């Protein structure tokens, strides 16, 4: 840092301040010299738009706003989609396991479905089919086309890393077979919530969001949950704090009143079943009670039971909050099917 760029610590007033270097830099002699003379401080590999710019060498305070090389908005779709896929893949080996009988720390193979490490499930495959439909139709929502793409996934193995379909929900399978969504009270699984996130980057209306949910899950609880989640995602991507985004998107329906106090619920009261409102609550709770993408999706998986879907939904939101670069690079490296993901990405409208 030059003498023209002297920065003062807002905590202790010291001028002994280093610039925080984020990412995974190549270690050169010049970089080592800057580290040794306290002009550069290594921040770590995970960076987001909320990461600090400076580090005080006297008191350790971190402050300032980082300037990313690329605009945060340029990576929003990738952040949401990869955020969901990585969370899903982390959770796949632990699905159905009871809370506190395991601990997720990284991508692992085997487990419940005996899949290779980094394999995403039906959650991400259906989300990618949604993306691909939006891509082909240039941002327009075409529910019938999405239905056909979901069928291609289920019957032909499309949108999977290796053509293998596993972990298909009963409601999804029934709806895709009959050609319309299930409307019964017992058809309120999380199978539409897990794939709805891409609509947050389109101009889809609430009615269109409900229509997309209703391809498989047509009960009002499921369709409204999707509207709520998309609304929260959109507000977060515009820079609104998560707690305010939740408050501003609570449905006018007593079934969603739990959202008013979700942050303060103790962990033991957070359900992680396949019920759509449980998944919505758990995903929001994990985001509200952690401080990074990695912490959020690990907490989501470690809640147990429907680990892949909870972490998929939580991961989509955490990706939106913290940015694509916040997702640990080694997790993205271990993720299978990245070429499938990238082929489905579309040009965001928002």
């Amino acid at each position: 840092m030059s003498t023209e760029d002297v920065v003062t610590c807002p905590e202790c007033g010291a001028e002994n301040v280093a610039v925080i270097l984020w990412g995974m830099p190549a270690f050169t002699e010049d970089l080592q010299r800057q580290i040794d003379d306290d002009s550069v401080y290594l921040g770590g590999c995970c960076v987001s738009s909320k990461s600090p710019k400076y580090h005080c060498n006297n008191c350790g305070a971190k402050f300032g706003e980082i300037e990313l090389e690329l605009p945060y908005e340029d990576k929003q779709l990738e952040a949401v989609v990869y955020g969901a896929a990585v969370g899903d893949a982390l959770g796949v080996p632990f699905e159905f396991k009871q809370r506190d009988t395991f601990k997720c720390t990284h991508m692992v193979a085997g487990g419940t479905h005996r899949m290779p490490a980094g394999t995403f499930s039906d959650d991400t495959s259906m989300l990618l089919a949604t993306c691909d439909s939006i891509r082909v139709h240039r941002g327009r929502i075409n529910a019938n086309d999405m239905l056909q793409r979901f069928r291609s996934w289920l019957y032909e193995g499309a949108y999977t890393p290796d053509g293998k379909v596993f972990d298909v929900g009963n409601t999804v399978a029934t709806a895709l077979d009959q050609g319309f969504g299930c409307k019964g009270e017992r058809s309120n699984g999380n199978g539409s919530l897990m794939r709805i996130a891409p609509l947050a980057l389109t101009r889809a209306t609430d009615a269109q969001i409900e229509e997309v949910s209703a391809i498989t899950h047509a009960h009002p609880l499921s369709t409204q949950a999707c509207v709520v989640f998309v609304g929260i995602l959109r507000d977060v991507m515009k820079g609104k704090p998560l707690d305010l985004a939740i408050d501003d998107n609570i449905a006018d329906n007593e079934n969603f009143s739990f959202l008013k106090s979700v942050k303060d619920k103790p962990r033991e009261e957070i359900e992680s079943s396949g019920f759509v409102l449980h998944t919505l609550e758990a995903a929001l709770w994990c985001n509200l009670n952690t401080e990074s993408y990695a912490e959020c999706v690990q907490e989501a998986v470690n809640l147990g039971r429907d680990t892949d879907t909870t972490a998929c939904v939580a991961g989509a939101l955490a990706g939106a909050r913290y940015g694509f670069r916040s997702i640990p690079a080694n997790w993205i490296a271990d993720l299978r099917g990245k070429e499938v993901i990238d082929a489905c990405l579309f040009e965001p409208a928002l």
Side-chain angles (χ1 to χ4, degrees):
M1 190 183 306
S2 70
T3 55
E4 296 179 356
D5 297 319
V6 173
V7 176
T8 301
C9 174
E11 298 294 328
C12 69
E15 295 181 353
N16 183 18
V17 172
V19 174
I20 300 178
L21 180 62
W22 294 96
M24 302 178 70
F27 270 84
T28 63
E29 291 184 6
D30 184 56
L31 175 59
Q32 188 61 61
R33 177 187 58 76
Q34 292 176 308
I35 294 171
D36 292 341
D37 67 17
D38 289 333
S39 62
V40 166
Y41 177 88
L42 297 182
C45 63
C46 298
V47 61
S48 76
S49 60
K50 297 181 180 180
S51 299
K53 187 175 183 178
Y54 300 110
H55 171 269
C56 177
N57 296 315
N58 281 25
C59 71
K62 295 180 176 65
F63 58 95
E65 296 181 359
I66 192 170
E67 297 176 3
L68 297 179
E69 293 178 8
L70 294 174
Y72 180 54
E73 291 75 15
D74 286 355
K75 286 289 184 180
Q76 281 187 330
L77 181 62
E78 289 89 336
V80 169
V81 173
Y82 272 91
V86 168
D88 179 8
L90 284 167
V92 162
F94 304 104
E95 190 175 22
F96 310 129
K97 293 184 180 294
Q98 293 300 308
R99 187 174 303 179
D100 298 328
T101 63
F102 66 93
K103 189 171 182 63
C104 169
T105 58
H106 59 283
M107 298 280 191
V108 297
T112 303
H113 299 287
R114 301 183 181 278
M115 301 301 291
T119 303
F120 55 74
S121 74
D122 60 321
D123 305 44
T124 300
S125 291
M126 296 190 77
L127 184 149
L128 293 179
T130 302
C131 284
D132 202 27
S133 178
I134 296 169
R135 179 187 66 82
V136 169
H137 291 276
R138 299 184 178 182
R140 296 190 302 275
I141 305 303
N142 186 319
N144 185 62
D145 181 73
M146 289 181 188
L147 168 62
Q148 301 311 318
R149 292 176 191 277
F150 295 159
R151 284 174 161 171
S152 293
W153 154 71
L154 181 59
Y155 303 138
E156 301 168 18
Y159 306 109
T160 65
D162 47 23
K164 295 181 181 178
V165 176
F166 66 97
D167 192 28
V168 181
N170 291 332
T171 299
V172 168
T174 299
L176 297 186
D177 180 60
Q178 66 189 14
F180 55 89
C182 301
K183 297 181 178 180
E185 287 276 355
R186 299 181 65 84
S187 300
N188 278 309
N190 50 26
S192 62
L193 182 67
M194 70 190 190
R195 59 176 165 81
I196 206 69
L199 271 68
L201 290 114
T202 72
R203 293 190 173 88
T205 64
D206 288 355
Q208 288 176 314
I209 295 167
E210 292 179 343
E211 182 185 16
V212 171
S213 171
I215 297 170
T216 55
H217 293 69
H219 189 278
L221 272 185
S222 291
T223 60
Q224 190 63 61
C226 288
V227 171
V228 168
F229 188 58
V230 169
I232 291 171
L233 273 170
R234 284 174 172 167
D235 280 354
V236 164
M237 287 188 286
K238 292 175 184 175
K240 185 177 291 188
L242 179 56
D243 55 348
L244 296 182
I246 293 172
D247 289 344
D248 290 346
N249 287 281
I250 297 176
D252 186 19
N253 180 329
E254 64 178 10
N255 289 299
F256 291 85
S257 61
F258 68 90
L259 294 175
K260 297 176 182 177
S261 57
V262 61
K263 180 178 182 179
D264 298 323
K265 268 196 172 184
R267 183 173 182 262
E268 58 269 21
E269 292 184 14
I270 299 298
E271 299 281 355
S272 52
S273 75
F275 177 46
V276 63
L277 297 189
H278 286 170
T279 302
L280 178 62
E281 180 179 49
L284 296 176
W285 183 88
C286 290
N287 270 275
L288 288 165
N289 288 282
T290 55
E291 296 182 351
S292 70
Y293 173 86
E295 289 180 9
C296 178
V297 292
Q298 286 173 324
E299 182 61 69
V301 174
N302 288 326
L303 289 176
R305 298 188 69 184
D306 200 0
T307 52
D308 56 337
T309 306
T310 303
C312 179
V313 178
L317 179 55
R321 294 181 68 208
Y322 299 111
F324 178 79
R325 298 186 187 190
S326 71
I327 305 171
N330 59 317
W331 289 356
I332 290 183
D334 290 341
L335 182 66
R336 303 179 69 225
K338 290 187 285 291
E339 69 286 351
V340 180
I341 295 174
D342 291 341
C344 295
L345 298 178
F346 59 90
E347 187 68 30
L350 299 176

